[in-house]
Amino acid sequence: MGIQPGKQAKKDEGNESSMKIDKPVSIELKGDAEEAYEKLNSVIGQQKAEGKENSDEIKLWNGIQRAFDLIKENPFYGENAKKDLIPRYYRDQYGAKNLFIVDLPFFWRMIYTLESDKIEIIAFILDIFTHKDYDKRFGFKKR
């Protein structure tokens, strides 16, 4: 599933806070993330049909949309996971060589990887899940 493309920001020499647009950035949902996003959209559709306008699910969906916008503006927006901490699942399932983690409302997490060629950057969204599922996927233990 594709999301509208944005542009990659490139630092201007001599002025690190100044950014130039370099490559278009597109967002694509994959596997578990696509399933979670579609399920959330379905729940929100039902809630809106019932007249609800401010549920936790709607707030989560808005947080995801904000994250998409931020990634389109700066593909490196998320926290970069150290290479040795990338779960085998992402390497085997998606061939991920890099991972970025975005905090979402209600302690949810979004995981994405970047791929690029000379023309564009694609942010593949691999997971949108609860913090508990995030901890499990990354092998973190409760204290």
Side-chain angles (χ1 to χ4, degrees):
M1 169 184 288
I3 309 295
Q4 290 181 321
K7 300 285 185 189
Q8 177 191 7
K10 181 179 179 182
K11 289 185 180 178
D12 188 8
E13 289 182 46
N15 185 358
E16 291 192 22
S17 64
S18 175
M19 300 292 215
K20 284 186 184 177
I21 294 174
D22 189 33
K23 294 181 184 179
V25 177
S26 59
I27 294 179
E28 229 177 275
L29 294 161
K30 292 285 198 183
D32 294 339
E34 185 172 16
E35 186 179 321
Y37 189 79
E38 288 174 0
K39 183 177 177 184
L40 186 60
N41 267 333
S42 176
V43 168
I44 289 170
Q46 291 173 339
Q47 290 178 347
K48 288 191 174 184
E50 296 168 0
K52 294 181 182 176
E53 302 215 5
N54 198 22
S55 68
D56 287 351
E57 291 83 4
I58 291 170
K59 290 175 185 174
L60 176 59
W61 188 85
N62 288 336
I64 292 168
Q65 298 310 307
R66 257 190 317 278
F68 288 166
D69 291 342
L70 291 167
I71 292 167
K72 285 187 275 186
E73 288 297 316
N74 174 9
F76 303 99
Y77 165 73
E79 180 183 339
N80 191 359
K82 293 180 180 177
K83 301 267 188 249
D84 58 337
L85 294 180
I86 295 175
R88 182 179 237 32
Y89 170 81
Y90 294 116
R91 286 184 271 133
D92 293 347
Q93 189 78 13
Y94 302 103
K97 295 180 173 100
N98 59 67
L99 275 189
F100 296 86
I101 303 159
V102 176
D103 293 340
L104 297 171
F106 307 108
F107 302 102
W108 279 60
R109 299 289 183 263
M110 179 167 43
I111 308 300
Y112 68 97
T113 188
L114 296 174
E115 291 186 17
S116 180
D117 59 22
K118 291 182 179 184
I119 299 169
E120 72 175 333
I121 294 173
I122 302 173
F124 290 103
I125 310 301
L126 306 179
D127 262 319
I128 300 171
F129 49 17
T130 65
H131 200 292
K132 181 179 177 183
D133 291 335
Y134 162 79
D135 284 347
K136 193 184 301 182
R137 174 71 41 94
F138 278 77
F140 300 139
K141 308 261 191 248
K142 279 189 172 182
R143 292 181 197 198

